[in-house]
Amino acid sequence: MQKMKTTIGYALILGCAYACQTAEAPRKASIDAHITGLKDSVVYISGLNDEPAKSDTVPVKDGKFSWSGTVTDPRKVFISTSGQYMEFFMENNPVKIEGTVDSFYYSKVTGSASQDEHMGFEKSVKDITDGQWPLYQQLHVAKDDKVKAALEARIDSFRMAKRARIKTYVLQHPASPVSVALLADMAVMGEFAPIDSLYRQLDPVAKQSVSGQKLSERLIVIKRSSLGQTIKDFSQNDLDGRPVKFSDFKGKYLFVDFWASWCGPCRAENPNVLRAYNTFKGKNFEVLGISLDDNASKWKEAVEKDGMPWKQLSDLKGYNNEIAEYYGIQAIPSSFLLDPNGVIIAKDLRGTELQTKLAEILQ
């Protein structure tokens, strides 16, 4: 009888412990920020919801703002002011942010384990970042083609070095949300095969996270424009409202240039594309512009001002351009180089790299 009472007693203790554990409130996420000099009345926080298009509007008073709720899993979050933004990682823990409006992007974030991971990675590539930025500044003002080519080669070497470190990081941290985010960043403009190869090495937990599932969906889209794929025969109207198809250019090398009148880097690259066009137009080569404009007059004005004589197409839907959406164009300028059979043989050629590639195949 005594043994039965003891057994019942243990059962009651265990049952109470389980009940207390299950009754414990789930951990919540929160943000408490103080940004000195911030005069905006609201900030916009995106990435908290599982739907990427949704954002939270949070009131600001005396440079301070706060938010609380839950996030499904650790992820990258973005906070935007009227003129700046910052990004950081968070999970269901209290996060504190301190900074100044003049250096909002570099605000200090504490309380997030995944942010600490991210900062560890950033520290590991600081030598690359510090080496790259001065070269971009020099390239911006360089005039001589040989100087530009040398700078681009050095920048590319830094870029390849960073990709190698990303690969090492992902392989060493396959379950980390930082690994997922690094691959998602690569997938904005990167080539499908190497990103897919690393995605396959991720831990199932990372793949099944909300960010991991979005990355999987993104890979399906960018596979359509991977090297060796044949371009889909889309049709859009030119500047005169006449439909033009990709198949109209079959039999020629075709440089497909995604751009827009409002895109500063695109407009800066247009003279280089014009130079390529003038150099190779009589050698079985054409250029086709795909504009992500939504304003016909601004589109036409930019074409005329930049002196672009090649065919220009647009459905005037902005980033919702049918061709751009199908191929997952998320940043411009972006480009494909097609062979005479419409097969993608190169992507995102810019500067002297474009001239070199065309000379290689056309001369």
Side-chain angles (χ1 to χ4, degrees), residues 81-347:
T81 69
S82 58
Q84 299 188 63
Y85 90 104
M86 66 171 292
E87 57 186 50
F88 63 98
F89 287 81
M90 70 177 296
E91 57 278 334
N92 284 321
N93 276 321
V95 166
K96 292 190 179 299
I97 302 174
E98 294 185 359
T100 64
V101 71
D102 293 332
S103 56
F104 183 56
Y105 184 85
Y106 299 100
S107 298
K108 184 178 180 181
V109 179
T110 56
S112 166
S114 51
Q115 174 66 7
D116 292 343
E117 275 190 62
H118 170 66
M119 294 307 296
F121 172 78
E122 288 298 317
K123 185 177 180 180
S124 75
V125 296
K126 187 176 185 299
D127 60 318
I128 295 176
T129 305
D130 289 348
Q132 263 186 318
W133 282 117
L135 298 179
Y136 279 116
Q137 293 170 342
Q138 294 173 42
L139 182 62
H140 181 69
V141 298
K143 303 297 182 183
D144 184 80
D145 285 344
K146 289 184 179 179
V147 172
K148 288 182 179 180
L151 288 169
E152 288 171 352
R154 290 177 63 190
I155 290 170
D156 193 56
S157 67
F158 277 116
R159 188 181 298 117
M160 296 304 293
K162 185 171 182 179
R163 287 178 185 173
R165 292 195 196 175
I166 289 174
K167 179 178 180 180
T168 299
Y169 187 90
V170 171
L171 294 177
Q172 292 177 349
H173 305 84
S176 170
V178 176
S179 294
V180 177
L182 289 170
L183 294 183
D185 288 345
M186 288 176 64
V188 172
M189 291 189 76
E191 172 57 16
F192 166 77
I195 304 171
D196 182 62
S197 177
L198 286 174
Y199 169 79
R200 293 175 184 275
Q201 302 302 315
L202 290 176
D203 187 272
V205 172
K207 289 181 179 179
Q208 291 162 13
S209 69
V210 172
S211 299
Q213 291 177 48
K214 291 175 184 174
L215 175 57
S216 176
E217 294 167 0
R218 173 68 180 164
L219 286 169
I220 293 171
V221 173
I222 67 172
K223 186 177 181 180
R224 298 168 184 165
S225 63
S226 58
L227 298 178
Q229 292 290 315
T230 301
I231 202 81
K232 188 175 179 180
D233 193 21
F234 278 101
S235 174
Q236 282 190 9
N237 288 348
D238 64 12
L239 289 163
D240 298 317
R242 292 189 293 263
V244 176
K245 298 184 295 183
F246 278 112
S247 57
D248 294 340
F249 299 89
K250 192 168 185 180
K252 295 185 177 183
Y253 286 93
L254 181 65
F255 183 72
V256 182
D257 180 32
F258 294 90
W259 73 289
S261 66
W262 44 260
C263 168
C266 302
R267 302 293 294 274
E269 179 64 12
N270 282 342
N272 184 56
V273 180
L274 178 60
R275 179 184 169 195
Y277 177 81
N278 288 333
T279 302
F280 300 103
K281 63 181 179 181
K283 299 180 180 180
N284 204 38
F285 172 74
E286 290 287 349
V287 175
L288 179 64
I290 309 292
S291 169
L292 273 60
D293 276 284
D294 58 10
N295 183 299
S297 61
K298 290 183 179 180
W299 171 38
K300 294 176 181 179
E301 180 183 350
V303 171
E304 183 176 349
K305 186 173 182 179
D306 291 1
M308 297 184 283
W310 52 85
K311 280 288 184 183
Q312 294 284 347
L313 310 182
S314 183
D315 58 12
L316 297 174
K317 295 180 181 178
Y319 262 109
N320 295 322
N321 179 288
E322 183 185 13
I323 303 172
E325 274 201 331
Y326 180 80
Y327 286 111
I329 304 299
Q330 292 184 336
I332 51 175
S334 185
S335 64
F336 306 152
L337 179 61
L338 313 181
D339 74 5
N341 294 313
V343 175
I344 300 171
I345 58 174
K347 294 171 61 178

